[in-house]
Amino acid sequence: MNRRHLLQATAAGLALPGTRLFAAGADKPRFLLVFLRGGYDAANLLVPTGSSFYYESRPKIAIAKPGSEPSAEAALSINADWGLHPALKDSLYPLLQAGQAAFIPFAGTDDLSRSHFETQDSIELGQNLTGQRDFQSGFMNRLAAEIGARGAISFTDQLPISFRGQAKIGNAALRDNARLAVDAKTRQLVSGMYQQQPLSTQVEEGFALREELVRELSPERMKEMDASGRNAISAKGFELEARRIGKLMRGRFSLGFIDVGGWDTHVGQGGATGTLATRFEELGRGLAAISAELGPELWRSTTVMVISEFGRTFRENGNRGTDHGHGSTYWLLGGSLAAKGGVAGEQVQLTAKTLNQGRDYPVLNEYRAVLGGLWKRQFGLSDEALARVFPGAAIKDLGLV
């Protein structure tokens, strides 16, 4: 095994160049970005129950108004205009009722390509849509540089575009139980190779963090952790990964990123039940698990934003699904939300005339403006710092926290 292969083995599944060991304080603001890749159907998540046009446009897949169907089939009431998908009744609805969850409809980017990859890339870059763009500078990396990168991590196999940049950010996939990449003999060999070398500190910190992950995320520790939650929420799929994220953000990291795929529902997406409902249920349980893992004290200094590259067509298609759209609905969770009523941001009455290009939600709450306003309050970023994170953006304070 040569020098390069040894380093690759050491870093497999966990690359943390330049990251130093430390514990995030209880008062340190925490932020997690959850990216739903595939363009999820926002109109069946935050249901416009006050719009007759919604029910005319979706004869097969609409979510019934609150009280109009058996409770398991009807939207959960938020206010006179909006309801929540019933799949979130046991996970996020309690947080919403406690003022710890809010939704921002008509949110997204001005990018109208409706291409998954182009729109995901442009959002993660966080740069102006016109002019030359730098694909080595994502907005989460620029945020990390402003607030101190040492507590930032991407919970993904590869470092996403949003975390590319000058600040040294690591990534760690948590789908499987953490395991040591090399045995003790190889570890000693690698350490010896880098002793007195410029990278020696990074190599040792990489080993130390990997070993800590193995301890913290071992099957025995995960079983113990599940038992401590009294089995209120079963662990499976995203929920298991989310619990691990919550555990790491409780003790070490204050800035994180995770992406969740499988939201491209052109065919048979279902209504109150079915494919999309199952995805909402799994996601909701995972997000609620993060709150539970952090605990009330840390949850008060935490916000979680759920976004997607775009929403979907307002009208259902001939395959009982929806196609690529434009505006979406963002989810905001946290223990100290100031947004009242569960729905925030600029809104418009939904009619055929107010749809974007006659087919999907318009974007009234541009994502850079919304995130910039949130971080100004949560992290205390100055206007100059926000201009570095989101160059050229007109920051809008929605009073979210």
Side-chain angles (χ1 to χ4, degrees), residues 72 121 123 138:
D121 289 355
I123 287 178

Side-chain angles (χ1 to χ4, degrees), residues 29-48:
R30 288 164 166 78
F31 177 81
L32 175 68
L33 183 70
V34 181
F35 201 124
L36 306 184
R37 298 192 188 276
Y40 88 99
D41 182 27
N44 268 18
L45 180 280
L46 183 66
V47 185

